[in-house]
Amino acid sequence: MSKLLALNDANNNTTNSSSTPSSPTSSPTLVEGDDPLNVGLKATRPEGPDITPALLSDPIAKRQISHLDHVEHELQKRAYVGVAPVRGDALDTQWVAAMLIGSPAQEFSVVFDTGSSDLWVSSISCLSSTCMGLRRFNPQRSSSFQQDNRQWAVTYADTSRVSGVLGIDDVTVAGIEVQSQTFGLANVNIGSTAAPGVDGILGLGFDSNSEIGDVKTLVSNMIAQNQIDEAKVSVWLNKAADQDKDLSNGGQFIFGGVDNSLFTGDITYLPVTSSKDWQITVDQIFIGRKELSVSSSASNAIVDTGSSFILFPDYLATAFHRAIPNAQFDSKLGWLIPCNLANSRSVGDLTFVLGGVRFSVPISDIVILKSEYNSYCMSAVDSWSELAGHGGQSGILLGDLFIKNQYVVYDYQKRRIGFAEKVQLPAGGIGLNAKGAGAGFKDCLKSSQWSAALMTVLASVFTLA
């Protein structure tokens, strides 16, 4: 953590504060194509067929129409896909989206985190100075809120802690309303989870990974309530470098399917190898043409949207950086690499072979902010020892640094993760899906708040797994 704490001090003014992003909308408008399962969100569900009393009086017609009505009803209630636009920051360390809770709806900005399974937001019972700067849920203002009162607590990998009581209310994400969702009302919120502009976390992991109790995740309830067509969440993250100066198009999470316009070629699926985590097996790792030796334990990789960077076991982080000419290790800052790699192809990409297919991260993405040493920048690939208490970790963490370079599909039903070649779109937005993003971002993305949030996130790697 020393590296990013130092980065926090040295780069407190490195933000996108020159402009205030426009306010997204909480219900994005999508264009429907020929295939509703793979394209987009329907504004409203269609009405069922008009069955007249005359037809119903005919027993044969009644049987036929009843059967057709049942089929159409099933198609109507299942053929639904929701898209949640997300907004990133200037350094691609975090993406947030809008979420609504209660009646009338109270709005929050949350991180979609596949590394955890719990849903929580700060509540009005959280009275710390940090919480007072966040949007907090007020159960007294929701007519649909139900008391649960069970106690809960979650500790994340970066030592951030949240705790409070459980409640039940209706939750809307990506235009999809889930009724009677159990979630956490945080009255204690300490660490990176309390960053300005982050009101809570929406865990997208498996039910088995929940730390707040015997609670179904939001996605599990979407499936159980027939709110999405497929038990999938797919992710397309847009880099800050590929956006306009307002960072108005950070990408999207698709609940219920995939968007074929956002990737090319086939999706390569790998089975999940853990009962709790979105973990897969890595075949090989290369830096340029040089293959890195990967032990069997290190071949396990968790693909986590709630983490910013890529973390390797200590030996693998060392091997990776030794393959980069003039890379240095600093006891305070961790691994440093020459800044000129941001504009060079001399080293080559960091490539992961998954299911026999190569998926790469350009070396330019691994060069982050300049350090206190001339011509040296922070490396976005680091070792687990940077996280207190995780120095002996043997696996790999593939965070947003990896995910933003691919199209990623989390398949809950078949317990697998899919990867495809991401379509690179020009600055200005996703024409198909991103007409806007979740409303309320104007309150949390004011430049001064965003600056503080960004630096807090950097100081903790925002590792929520």
Side-chain angles (χ1 to χ4, degrees):
M1 301 316 302
S2 55
K3 169 202 282 188
L4 296 177
L5 289 172
L7 186 151
N8 181 20
D9 295 334
N11 300 284
N12 194 43
N13 294 320
T14 306
T15 69
N16 60 333
S17 59
S18 60
S19 59
T20 302
S22 57
S23 172
T25 61
S26 45
S27 297
T29 302
L30 306 183
V31 178
E32 291 187 77
D34 295 331
D35 184 357
L37 304 187
N38 287 328
V39 175
L41 172 67
K42 299 181 179 179
T44 57
R45 293 172 185 257
E47 298 296 329
D50 181 17
I51 302 175
T52 64
L55 283 174
L56 289 177
S57 64
D58 183 338
I60 297 177
K62 182 176 180 179
R63 279 200 307 273
Q64 294 172 337
I65 292 174
S66 177
H67 172 69
L68 293 174
D69 183 31
H70 173 73
V71 170
E72 183 158 337
H73 175 68
E74 288 300 311
L75 289 173
Q76 288 170 3
K77 75 177 184 178
R78 297 287 298 182
Y80 194 71
V81 176
V83 175
V86 293
R87 189 184 293 275
D89 58 49
L91 296 178
D92 291 346
T93 58
Q94 161 185 287
W95 281 259
V96 290
M99 180 177 71
L100 306 177
I101 303 177
S103 304
Q106 300 174 45
E107 189 167 3
F108 304 93
S109 296
V110 297
V111 172
F112 290 165
D113 178 21
T114 57
S116 67
S117 300
D118 303 305
L119 169 60
W120 63 266
V121 293
S122 297
S123 76
I124 57 170
S125 298
C126 190
L127 301 176
S128 68
S129 57
T130 303
C131 272
M132 296 296 283
L134 303 175
R135 286 177 291 185
R136 300 173 298 158
F137 181 72
N138 186 343
Q140 297 177 351
R141 293 184 178 177
S142 174
S143 61
S144 51
F145 179 78
Q146 303 172 54
Q147 297 283 352
D148 184 299
N149 290 331
R150 283 179 288 170
Q151 301 290 314
W152 65 276
V154 175
T155 300
Y156 293 99
D158 66 354
T159 71
S160 297
R161 294 185 293 111
V162 286
S163 61
V165 297
L166 296 179
I168 302 170
D169 212 330
D170 299 336
V171 176
T172 299
V173 171
I176 301 172
E177 182 182 67
V178 173
Q179 297 180 344
S180 301
Q181 174 67 45
T182 301
F183 67 102
L185 287 74
N187 53 39
V188 174
N189 187 355
I190 300 172
S192 66
T193 53
V198 180
D199 305 315
I201 304 292
L202 170 54
L204 296 176
F206 297 113
D207 289 353
S208 57
N209 200 29
S210 175
E211 294 187 42
I212 67 175
D214 185 18
V215 173
K216 280 191 173 184
T217 65
L218 187 78
V219 173
S220 288
N221 279 327
M222 284 182 179
I223 298 166
Q225 295 178 24
N226 295 316
Q227 291 294 320
I228 53 178
D229 175 70
E230 295 181 282
K232 293 178 180 178
V233 174
S234 53
V235 183
W236 188 96
L237 297 180
N238 202 11
K239 303 177 186 180
D242 295 333
Q243 300 181 55
D244 57 30
K245 62 182 179 63
D246 294 327
L247 301 179
S248 60
N249 173 26
Q252 60 189 34
F253 278 65
I254 303 173
F255 291 80
V258 300
D259 185 337
N260 292 324
S261 71
L262 296 180
F263 65 92
T264 62
D266 296 327
I267 299 175
T268 300
Y269 283 100
L270 282 78
V272 169
T273 58
S274 168
S275 62
K276 296 177 61 176
D277 299 313
W278 287 107
Q279 177 180 286
I280 57 171
T281 299
V282 174
D283 299 336
Q284 295 170 285
I285 301 177
F286 293 85
I287 174 65
R289 295 182 179 181
K290 177 180 176 58
E291 182 175 2
L292 303 180
S293 177
V294 181
S295 67
S296 58
S297 59
S299 66
N300 296 318
I302 294 174
V303 187
D304 179 12
T305 61
S307 297
S308 301
F309 303 140
I310 292 175
L311 294 180
F312 282 153
D314 292 355
Y315 87 90
L316 192 54
T318 299
F320 167 77
H321 288 96
R322 283 180 177 170
I324 299 175
N326 301 315
Q328 301 288 333
F329 183 81
D330 181 80
S331 58
K332 254 194 338 181
L333 302 177
W335 283 103
L336 305 174
I337 55 180
C339 295
N340 59 15
L341 289 177
N343 301 305
S344 171
R345 299 291 298 171
S346 61
V347 172
D349 297 336
L350 170 60
T351 300
F352 297 86
V353 180
L354 307 175
V357 181
R358 299 168 70 94
F359 296 95
S360 296
V361 176
I363 194 70
S364 57
D365 282 2
I366 298 172
V367 180
I368 46 178
L369 289 182
K370 191 171 183 179
S371 74
E372 61 192 63
Y373 302 105
N374 289 336
S375 75
Y376 276 93
C377 287
M378 313 290 184
S379 171
V381 173
D382 225 319
S383 68
W384 280 102
S385 59
E386 280 290 289
L387 286 178
H390 291 270
Q393 193 85 11
S394 60
I396 295 171
L397 182 72
L398 298 177
D400 294 332
L401 171 62
F402 174 79
I403 294 168
K404 71 181 181 181
N405 284 288
Q406 330 299 334
Y407 188 82
V408 182
V409 181
Y410 295 87
D411 188 332
Y412 292 78
Q413 182 177 0
K414 296 184 178 180
R415 295 183 70 88
R416 60 183 185 170
I417 306 179
F419 302 93
E421 182 181 348
K422 168 188 168 184
V423 170
Q424 305 291 341
L425 296 180
I430 305 171
L432 176 65
N433 291 321
K435 299 293 186 182
F441 281 89
K442 60 181 179 295
D443 297 325
C444 72
L445 293 181
K446 300 293 186 183
S447 60
S448 60
Q449 289 182 328
W450 190 240
S451 172
L454 176 57
M455 288 302 111
T456 301
V457 167
L458 284 171
S460 61
V461 202
F462 214 86
T463 303
L464 299 177

